[in-house]
């Protein structure tokens, strides 16, 4: 109840924050980086088991295997189906993430380096972790679709997990800092024998915590005509219902970069709005076209500074998005920002490496894109761009939106063998036409 705790909400209002400007990231890839010559797995997913509104498959092989969970029905039914199929794994993931948050927050409060945003750490220090997260849920609830809470209720009922704890975990993306990379390539930039629109989403986030141990692709099949959108695939983690990576049955796809080094074109941020992982899921679930995605972005109650990428395989078009509370700006190859010698405009390509202002990575990404300009394919991206730029440590999706293919790689889990980071590991190809055609259990 907002009226019951005016002092806490005054604290939130006063901490409505303005992003610091003027700095830039100083990291860069190793000059000794080498190509990723691993084969790409192309076999279709293998069926494991089913429940009333869900099916579980696995795709890949051995230490490079990912769970693919299909769910059908209402939001509650889809949450319940995932919980039935993945009860033990979901419970372990949620409990381990919570323990990880507690440990990391305690360490971060006494450190100058942290994965968390400073305002969140202040809330935790003042109020405690539970209250700080509940506060964030409360101030974003009015901007969040009820279907998210209905799905969480279904997941909680099936697993026995506390629904409030599940709600808290979903906000991790909004409260932490990450570095990621993306590009969208079309026209003369791509090979004329392959995709007319190629898109990269490389997630550089956290390989020390539990996330690497629970990769999952969740394929949602909402009830047709129910107002809950269309089918889409969410690349994330078991029990995680927001979106940071994925593509839809309408061939709309997303990329995302957390912005730690903005300039003054971003303006200010706010805590009052829709959490961005829920917003990106809405893009996947409800946007039929690129224009739909752009309209939704312009009208959204936006929060923090981010970069998004939207691809549309029907029109073979891509837009980069500068996103904050203050702005929603869209970029093509002809107006790409920021303008700098380390971030040159390249015909047919929109791209950013690791951040808005990140010369070390953006310049290497630009060099690789220029070297393979006119010959870009998913395979070239996997073998010759990602491992050289060294981006995508936790997971990667490469979308061939013309042929409706998605190539995925994830970081090495505990107990697995091979390279540590997703960009050095084998990729798995998914035929998304076949994925979205999977039928409800009879």
């Amino acid at each position: 109840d907002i009226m019951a705790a005016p002092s806490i909400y005054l604290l939130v209002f006063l901490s409505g924050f303005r992003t610091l400007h003027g700095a830039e990231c100083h990291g860069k890839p190793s000059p000794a980086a080498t190509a990723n010559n691993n084969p790409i797995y192309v076999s279709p997913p293998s069926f494991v088991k089913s429940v009333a509104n869900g099916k579980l498959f696995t795709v890949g092989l051995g230490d490079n295997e990912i769970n693919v969970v299909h769910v059908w029905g209402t939001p509650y039914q889809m949450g319940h189906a995932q919980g039935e199929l993945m009860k033990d794994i979901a419970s372990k993931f949620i409990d381990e993430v919570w323990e990880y948050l507690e440990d990391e927050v305690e360490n971060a409060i006494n450190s100058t380096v942290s994965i968390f945003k400073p305002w969140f750490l202040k809330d935790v220090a003042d109020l405690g972790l539970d209250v700080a997260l509940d506060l964030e849920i409360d101030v974003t609830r009015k901007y969040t679709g009820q279907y998210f809470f209905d799905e969480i209720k279904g997941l909680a009922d099936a697993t026995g997990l506390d629904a409030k704890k599940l709600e808290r975990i979903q906000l991790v993306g909004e409260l932490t800092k990450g570095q990621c990379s993306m590009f969208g390539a079309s026209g003369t930039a791509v090979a004329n024998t392959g995709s007319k629109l190629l898109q990269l989403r490389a997630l550089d986030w956290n390989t020390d915590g539990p996330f690497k141990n629970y990769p999952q692709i969740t394929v949602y099949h909402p009830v047709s005509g129910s107002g809950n959108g269309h089918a889409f695939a969410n690349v994330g983690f078991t029990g995680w219902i927001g979106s940071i990576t994925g593509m839809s049955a309408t061939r709309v796809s997303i990329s995302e970069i957390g912005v730690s080094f903005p300039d003054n074109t971003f303006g200010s941020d706010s805590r009052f709005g829709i959490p961005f992982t829920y917003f990106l899921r809405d893009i996947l679930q409800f946007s039929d076209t690129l224009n739909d995605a752009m309209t939704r972005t312009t009208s959204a109650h936006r929060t923090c500074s981010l970069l998004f990428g939207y691809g549309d395989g029907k029109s073979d078009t891509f837009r980069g998005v500068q996103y904050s509370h203050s702005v929603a700006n869209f970029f093509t190859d002809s107006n790409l920002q920021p303008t700098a010698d380390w971030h040159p405009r390249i015909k047919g390509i929109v791209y950013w490496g690791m951040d808005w202002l990140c010369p070390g990575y953006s310049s290497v990404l630009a060099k690789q894109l220029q070297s393979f300009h006119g010959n870009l394919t998913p395979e070239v991206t996997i073998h010759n761009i990602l491992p050289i730029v060294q981006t995508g440590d936790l997971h990667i999706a490469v979308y061939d939106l013309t042929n409706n293919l998605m190539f995925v790689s994830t970081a090495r889990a505990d107990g697995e063998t091979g390279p540590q980071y997703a960009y050095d590991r084998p990729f798995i190809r998914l035929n998304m036409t076949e994925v979205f055609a999977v039928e409800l259990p009879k």
Side-chain angles (χ1 to χ4, degrees):
D1 186 347
I2 291 178
M3 297 305 295
S7 61
I8 291 179
Y9 284 88
L10 177 61
L11 172 66
V12 174
F13 177 78
L14 292 175
S15 66
F17 45 94
R18 180 165 293 276
T19 308
L20 295 175
H21 304 125
E24 61 184 34
C25 79
H26 298 291
K28 60 182 180 180
S30 168
T34 59
N36 178 350
N37 294 317
N38 290 300
I40 297 171
Y41 293 110
V42 298
S43 297
S46 299
F47 175 76
V48 178
K49 63 179 180 179
S50 65
V51 296
N53 290 295
K55 287 183 177 179
L56 171 63
F57 295 77
T58 59
V59 67
L61 185 67
D63 285 347
N64 298 285
E65 190 174 81
I66 303 174
N67 289 320
V68 181
V69 175
H70 289 258
V71 293
W72 285 264
T74 64
Y76 177 88
Q77 289 172 329
M78 292 190 289
H80 199 277
Q82 181 179 179
E84 287 182 90
L85 289 168
M86 307 300 291
K87 178 178 179 179
D88 293 340
I89 296 175
S91 297
K92 284 184 64 179
F93 173 68
I94 296 301
D95 287 344
E96 287 182 20
V97 171
W98 186 254
E99 291 174 8
Y100 178 75
L101 285 177
E102 289 180 320
D103 290 343
E104 287 297 302
V105 164
E106 182 178 349
N107 293 335
I109 289 174
N110 300 309
S111 173
T112 57
V113 179
S114 168
I115 65 169
F116 298 103
K117 295 178 179 177
W119 54 264
F120 176 63
L121 288 179
K122 184 179 187 307
D123 280 1
V124 174
D126 292 342
L127 308 169
L129 180 59
D130 290 18
V131 176
L133 286 167
D134 289 346
L135 177 59
E136 196 65 20
I137 292 168
D138 288 345
V139 300
T140 60
R141 183 177 291 273
K142 67 178 288 188
Y143 308 102
T144 303
Q146 180 59 38
Y147 41 89
F148 290 109
F149 299 105
D150 293 343
E151 184 178 342
I152 288 171
K153 180 67 164 58
L155 184 60
D157 286 350
T159 59
L161 288 163
D162 178 57
K164 179 61 71 175
K165 189 175 186 179
L166 282 166
E167 288 181 22
R168 292 168 181 157
I169 294 297
Q170 305 306 319
L171 292 179
V172 169
E174 190 80 3
L175 307 174
T176 58
K177 299 180 289 185
Q179 291 183 306
C180 310
S181 301
M182 76 168 83
F183 73 72
S186 59
T188 59
V190 297
N192 59 17
T193 57
S195 177
K196 294 180 181 178
L197 178 61
L198 185 64
Q199 181 176 344
L200 166 68
R201 188 283 189 265
L203 174 63
D204 296 89
W205 187 27
N206 181 287
T207 57
D208 297 324
F211 300 97
K212 64 182 180 297
N213 295 325
Y214 300 92
Q216 180 173 300
I217 300 171
T218 309
V219 186
Y220 289 84
H221 304 265
V223 175
S224 179
S226 65
N228 287 313
H230 46 246
F232 65 98
N234 194 22
V235 182
F237 317 100
T238 305
W240 175 284
I241 70 168
S243 295
I244 49 178
T245 306
M247 66 183 295
S248 74
T250 63
R251 287 195 284 160
V252 170
S253 54
I254 58 169
S255 304
E256 177 268 336
I257 298 175
V259 175
S260 297
F261 298 95
D263 57 25
N264 58 14
T265 62
F266 279 84
S268 63
D269 289 348
S270 172
R271 295 175 66 175
F272 295 89
I274 180 170
F276 83 84
T277 57
Y278 289 166
F279 170 77
L280 283 176
R281 175 165 156 177
D282 281 351
I283 293 291
L284 289 177
Q285 188 167 352
F286 297 105
S287 296
D288 291 326
T289 65
L290 175 62
N291 284 338
D292 289 345
M294 293 169 67
T295 298
R296 183 174 289 274
T297 304
T298 301
S299 61
H301 294 276
R302 300 178 300 275
T303 55
C304 52
S305 294
L306 298 156
L307 296 170
F308 295 151
Y310 304 150
D312 184 345
K314 301 177 300 301
S315 60
D316 295 322
T317 50
F318 179 90
R319 292 292 184 275
V321 187
Q322 182 187 34
Y323 178 101
S324 74
H325 175 67
S326 298
V327 303
N329 295 321
F330 302 97
F331 297 107
T332 66
D333 59 345
S334 63
N335 70 339
L336 184 62
Q337 296 290 329
T339 53
D341 57 0
W342 49 263
H343 191 234
R345 291 177 180 171
I346 305 171
K347 182 68 174 177
I349 301 178
V350 175
Y351 72 100
W352 290 286
M354 289 293 199
D355 212 303
W356 179 257
L357 298 177
C358 197
Y361 281 95
S362 286
S363 60
V364 177
L365 178 56
K367 180 181 178 181
Q368 292 304 105
L369 291 171
Q370 289 169 325
S371 296
F372 291 96
H373 193 273
N375 294 294
L376 289 172
T377 63
E379 293 79 10
V380 165
T381 303
I382 290 165
H383 296 312
N384 302 110
I385 294 179
L386 287 161
I388 304 304
V389 183
Q390 296 185 316
T391 185
D393 58 10
L394 186 56
H395 80 218
I396 297 165
V398 179
Y399 314 109
D400 176 346
L401 291 161
T402 303
N403 297 302
N404 212 19
L405 302 173
M406 180 169 68
F407 300 75
V408 178
S409 180
T410 62
R412 184 184 67 208
D414 291 338
E416 292 183 345
T417 59
Q420 179 178 4
Y421 299 126
Y423 56 75
D424 283 328
R425 295 179 66 81
F427 277 69
I428 297 166
R429 189 189 73 185
L430 289 145
N431 182 321
M432 299 308 292
T433 301
E434 296 176 358
V435 167
F436 290 125
V438 171
E439 295 183 350
L440 175 72
K442 292 183 171 59

